[in-house]
Structures are given as structure tokens and as C-alpha cells.
């Protein structure tokens, strides 16, 4: 069964195509990397999966429904001056389970604490999010995603700008989610670590270059096409 299926997807900003005629399937329980150069449409693809952008044409089908998706955005897109603690950020991951009017209680607070512990941030639970380093902030947002207890996890460049220790912690958590049967999809920039960390890859440059198991798709020829192709669209 596929966790995600995209059919004939085209997305444009100001009449300029960002994604063009994308046909894509990602099976359940894969740890997938979305790879491509700057401006290739990687973040737009993630936003399309979340329903945050309206396509010109095509459709996105999610296993179950979009409430089963947890999302970790790029750190650069977050307002870190918002006055809230690390624990409060993680508890936000439970709001979808509680309903609109119910406030989180002791159970949700305990669960949020366990999620912070999983990412090695339990000692920073009461720290203002703006006072944390970039790597620490990324871990807190990953803990929030864990608190959602989703079936599909979307992460937009979670390893960008983090130190080696944080990268190791994040990748071990993502592999643990995969072992638990979850589908994990990561916008990723470091080609050197794809084969070691992922078992599925999506190669994207406005159009889809390749999609499938890393051992079959992550080839020199496909990478050359992804990063040097003549972009006839857009």
C-alpha cells in the first residue's frame, strides 16, 4: 500500500511552474529523501502534500487523511521570538487529538516530556524556544512531531545547519519511526549521506527525474540529470 500517491500534479507561482506533471508514489514504511537543487520545488512538494498550496492541476492522495501527517518545517520559516517554552511547543502536537476546546492536561504534559526525552531535550523543557540553539530548536520541533503520533512524517531539511551529534540523534529517531511502521519523508541536501540513511529517494528538478529504491534510483546518471538538466519548464 502506498502512503502517498500524487497524480498529474502541477503547481505554479505567478504563472511560473514550480512543479510540472508530477506522478509519484511512496510506499508505506519507507524512509525517503527528496533530493534536488535549490528552486527545484522540494518545499512546494511538501506543502502540496500538506494541502498548503493549491495546484493548477492534479491531485494528492494521502493514506487515511491529512490529520495523520506530522510536519517539521525549515527552521528559517519559524518565528522563534514567539514567547513559549520547549514543553509548550511539544504539547502543541497533541492539539489535533484533543479537539478545539479541550486544553492539554497532565497526560499530555507527561507525553510531551517523554518526547523531549527521546530527542535529548528534557533538561530544556522550561527554556524559552528563542533561547535555544538552532540544533536544539530542531530537536524540539521533532519532539512535537513525535507527540502527534502520526502515520506519515514530513520534515523539510531537518539536518541543515545542525551539528554531527544532533544529526545522529535525528537520524536514529527517524529510523526508529520507520521500524515502527511509519512513513518518513525528508527534504535532504547532503548527497553524501543518502545511501547510508535512506532506502527510498525522490529526485526532483521541477519535473520528476526518478522515484524508487535508493539502490536503483540514486545513480550518477540520474543525479547528473537532476542537477544539470536543461529546465525547459519555468
Amino acid at each position: 500500500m502506498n502512503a502517498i500517491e500524487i497524480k498529474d500534479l502541477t503547481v505554479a507561482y505567478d504563472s511560473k511552474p514550480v512543479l510540472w506533471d508530477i506522478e509519484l508514489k511512496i510506499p508505506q514504511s519507507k524512509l525517503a529523501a527528496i533530493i534536488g537543487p535549490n528552486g527545484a520545488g522540494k518545499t512546494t512538494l511538501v506543502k502540496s502534500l500538506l494541502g498548503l498550496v493549491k495546484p493548477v492541476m492534479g491531485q494528492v492522495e494521502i493514506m487515511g487523511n491529512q490529520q495523520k501527517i506530522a510536519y517539521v518545517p525549515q527552521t528559517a520559516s519559524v518565528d522563534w521570538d514567539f514567547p513559549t517554552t520547549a514543553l509548550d511547543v511539544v504539547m502543541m502536537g497533541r492539539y489535533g487529538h484533543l479537539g478545539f476546546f479541550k486544553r492539554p492536561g497532565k497526560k499530555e504534559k507527561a507525553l510531551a516530556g517523554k518526547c523531549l526525552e527521546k530527542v535529548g531535550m528534557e533538561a530544556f523543557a522550561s527554556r524559552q524556544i528563542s533561547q535555544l540553539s538552532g540544533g536544539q530548536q530542531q530537536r524540539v520541533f521533532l519532539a512535537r512531531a513525535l507527540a502527534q503520533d502520526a502515520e506519515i512524517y514530513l520534515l523539510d531539511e531537518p539536518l541543515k545547519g545542525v551539528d554531527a551529534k544532533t544529526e545522529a540523534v535525528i537520524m536514529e529517531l527517524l529510523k526508529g519511526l520507520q521500524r515502527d511502521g511509519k512513513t518518513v519523508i525528508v527534504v535532504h541536501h547532503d548527497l553524501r549521506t543518502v545511501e547510508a540513511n535512506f532506502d527510498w529517494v525522490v529526485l526532483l528538478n521541477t519535473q520528476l527525474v526518478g522515484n524508487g529504491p535508493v539502490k536503483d534510483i540514486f545513480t550518477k546518471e540520474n543525479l547528473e540529470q537532476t542537477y544539470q538538466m536543461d529546465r525547459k519548464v519555468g
Side-chain angles (χ1 to χ4, degrees), residues 1-166:
M1 183 181 294
N2 293 316
I4 285 171
E5 188 167 345
I6 296 174
K7 300 177 181 178
D8 302 320
L9 182 70
T10 295
V11 178
Y13 298 143
D14 297 325
S15 301
K16 179 181 179 181
V18 181
L19 295 174
W20 183 262
D21 197 22
I22 303 296
E23 292 271 350
L24 174 64
K25 296 178 182 179
I26 299 179
Q28 283 182 251
S29 304
K30 294 297 182 183
L31 181 49
I34 301 175
I35 302 293
N38 292 336
K42 302 185 295 296
T43 295
T44 299
L45 181 61
V46 169
K47 289 182 177 179
S48 297
L49 294 173
L50 293 165
L52 297 177
V53 295
K54 185 177 181 180
V56 174
M57 62 179 292
Q59 62 187 69
V60 175
E61 296 180 5
I62 305 294
M63 177 189 67
N65 56 64
Q66 286 182 328
Q67 287 186 331
K68 293 188 175 182
I69 297 180
Y71 173 48
V72 178
Q74 290 187 26
T75 54
S77 68
V78 178
D79 179 8
W80 297 111
D81 293 327
F82 189 76
T84 187
T85 67
L87 184 64
D88 288 337
V89 169
V90 179
M91 281 198 292
M92 291 176 188
R94 299 303 301 167
Y95 287 175
H97 298 267
L98 291 172
F100 189 73
F101 295 106
K102 193 174 180 181
R103 295 176 63 84
K106 291 182 179 180
K107 180 180 177 182
E108 286 73 32
K109 188 173 182 178
L111 177 60
K114 288 181 180 178
C115 292
L116 280 173
E117 188 176 349
K118 286 181 180 179
V119 300
M121 289 294 293
E122 66 273 18
F124 298 87
S126 60
R127 188 76 60 87
Q128 288 286 317
I129 193 74
S130 61
Q131 297 174 350
L132 300 176
S133 69
Q136 290 170 336
Q137 290 169 342
Q138 191 67 278
R139 291 198 203 192
V140 170
F141 265 65
L142 180 56
R144 184 185 69 168
L146 295 176
Q148 289 180 246
D149 191 25
E151 293 299 323
I152 300 170
Y153 290 80
L154 296 177
L155 301 95
D156 196 350
E157 301 229 37
L159 305 179
K160 187 175 182 179
V162 303
D163 57 33
K165 181 180 178 181
T166 298

